[in-house]
Amino acid sequence: MKSILVAAAFALAVTLLGTPVAIRAFRLWGWGQRIREDGPHTHMEKMGTPTMGGIVILIGLFGGFLAARFTFARFTPTGLALLFAVAGFGVVGFLDDFLKVRRRRSLGMSKSQKFLGTAVISVVFAIIVVHFSSDTGTSTELSFIRSTGLNLGILFYVWAFVILTSSSHSVNLTDGLDGLASGSSILVLSAYMFIAFWQFRHTCALLPPPANACYPVDPDAALDTAIVAAATMGAVTGFLWWNAAPARIFMGDTGALALGGLFGALAITTNTQLLLVILGGLFVVETMSVILQVISFRGFGRRIFRMSPIHHHFELAGWPEFTVIVRFWIIAGLCVAVGIGLFYVDFIANHGLG
């Protein structure tokens, strides 16, 4: 437990104190945000706000993880795989952000370039957690709250790509208002910190396995997963202090893709793949609003929403930006509460305590 607290506290301190330094440096280097011309007119005043703040989040995450691991325990392949995934998606996001800044427009990497980059990172991550973790580590079975028994075999690597890539783009789509993505991400990360720590305390390696009462995970790997989630939560919390409306810095694709990729990676290492759909319900709603908008406009020539993602729809409907942000945080919190509730109900049911 101490290692989790150290990871979160150290990462929080790094981003809380380091983000102002990054703001000044990014302004000096000309790393300013580019704004969509078809977006709400109130967003034009955000033009030039420093972006790529995800760099600070990654520094805080890695700092918190190393502080916890050097102090209390050893590294595991699972923990290193999670760091690889979040760093890899962060690099893809950074390249996208950098091209936007350099070209002075809101378009960076092409879709095929992003696809290739995220595909390679996702498959390598899946290989590490499957073949280099312990025998009781990540399962190649489809999972909801725990493994379902449906082994995906080689299709698991395709499934890993789908999970990591879709979750990364979902967070990226949500990152359109000051603090919306970061605040919502903190809630999801808190949930995965709880889930991983709960599995660590109830692993089959430490408890006798009556029925499905325990979790078939390596205790060191589960603790490493909880540490990564805690460090990221702390880092994003410190960043949110400066990212809250009116934002002094944006996380950019660097942070959004990294966080979303990590969500998918955490879902895989905790064997809660489909539960991510509930925990990250807000991100799912944002993504579905874009998909429905595209289908409706291209298929029927009509728009369902004034603008997608859906948070822009409510802005154009007259809601103040801060109202949209807080209400969407509430939705994100409710989704996390339902997901955690389902996780705990499953645990109680399998222990025969219900």
Side-chain angles (χ1 to χ4, degrees):
M1 186 65 180
K2 290 181 180 179
S3 58
I4 295 175
L5 295 176
V6 167
F10 191 92
L12 171 65
V14 169
T15 53
L16 191 60
L17 301 176
T19 302
V21 178
I23 291 172
R24 290 192 291 269
F26 293 176
R27 286 190 184 279
L28 181 63
W29 298 337
W31 289 3
Q33 177 72 28
R34 313 305 299 179
I35 304 297
R36 287 173 54 179
E37 295 180 357
D38 60 339
H41 64 88
T42 55
H43 285 209
M44 296 308 296
E45 63 189 32
K46 302 180 183 183
M47 179 78 75
T49 301
T51 186
M52 301 191 214
I55 296 175
V56 187
I57 295 176
L58 291 174
I59 293 174
L61 157 60
F62 275 79
F65 179 84
L66 292 175
R69 271 325 196 184
F70 282 147
T71 306
F72 294 102
R74 66 180 181 86
F75 297 95
T76 67
T78 298
L80 296 176
L82 289 169
L83 294 181
F84 168 78
V86 70
F89 275 81
V91 168
V92 173
F94 172 79
L95 293 175
D96 191 44
D97 284 333
F98 185 77
L99 289 175
K100 292 176 183 177
V101 171
R102 186 175 182 180
R103 296 171 179 173
R104 298 183 180 277
R105 60 191 185 115
S106 60
L107 297 176
M109 297 175 65
S110 66
K111 293 181 180 179
S112 59
Q113 289 172 328
K114 284 185 180 180
F115 178 88
L116 179 61
T118 56
V120 172
I121 296 164
S122 301
V123 172
V124 172
F125 163 78
I127 291 173
I128 295 174
V129 296
V130 170
H131 296 286
F132 293 94
S133 297
S134 68
D135 292 336
T136 58
T138 303
S139 170
T140 57
E141 295 180 356
L142 181 69
S143 61
F144 177 39
I145 296 174
R146 60 178 74 231
S147 296
T148 61
L150 177 61
N151 198 317
L152 299 177
I154 196 171
L155 292 178
F156 174 78
Y157 302 101
V158 179
W159 179 232
F161 162 69
V162 172
I163 294 175
L164 269 69
T165 301
S166 58
S167 61
S168 68
H169 287 294
S170 295
V171 177
N172 197 26
L173 289 172
T174 306
D175 186 31
L177 300 179
D178 297 354
L180 176 57
S182 51
S184 303
S185 295
I186 291 170
L187 297 170
V188 177
L189 291 165
S190 301
Y192 272 112
M193 180 183 66
F194 168 80
I195 289 172
F197 182 72
W198 194 264
Q199 292 177 344
F200 163 71
R201 292 299 301 272
H202 299 87
T203 174
C204 296
L206 302 177
L207 297 173
N212 289 325
C214 61
Y215 297 95
V217 296
D218 176 70
D220 290 332
L223 180 58
D224 237 7
T225 300
I227 289 173
V228 171
T232 312
M233 181 192 68
V236 179
T237 301
F239 178 79
L240 179 59
W241 182 272
W242 306 101
N243 180 234
R248 294 184 57 187
I249 187 172
F250 300 132
M251 69 169 66
D253 287 9
T254 308
L257 293 184
L259 290 176
L262 179 60
F263 293 166
L266 289 170
I268 288 177
T269 57
T270 56
N271 297 318
T272 56
Q273 299 155 14
L274 297 180
L275 185 62
L276 177 60
V277 177
I278 298 175
L279 293 172
L282 173 67
F283 302 107
V284 174
V285 170
E286 293 273 14
T287 303
M288 290 304 300
S289 71
V290 174
I291 294 174
L292 292 175
Q293 184 86 322
V294 171
I295 293 176
S296 177
F297 185 74
R298 292 185 177 179
F300 306 100
R302 307 183 70 174
R303 290 183 172 87
I304 300 176
F305 309 105
R306 289 181 170 90
M307 185 179 179
S308 64
I310 195 169
H311 55 257
H312 290 316
H313 168 82
F314 289 106
E315 272 195 292
L316 294 176
W319 289 20
E321 179 178 358
F322 190 72
T323 299
V324 178
I325 294 168
V326 172
R327 287 177 177 173
F328 275 44
W329 281 350
I330 294 172
I331 294 173
L334 291 173
C335 291
V336 167
V338 171
I340 289 294
L342 291 173
F343 179 83
Y344 188 66
V345 166
D346 170 82
F347 174 80
I348 295 298
N350 282 304
H351 270 73
L353 302 176

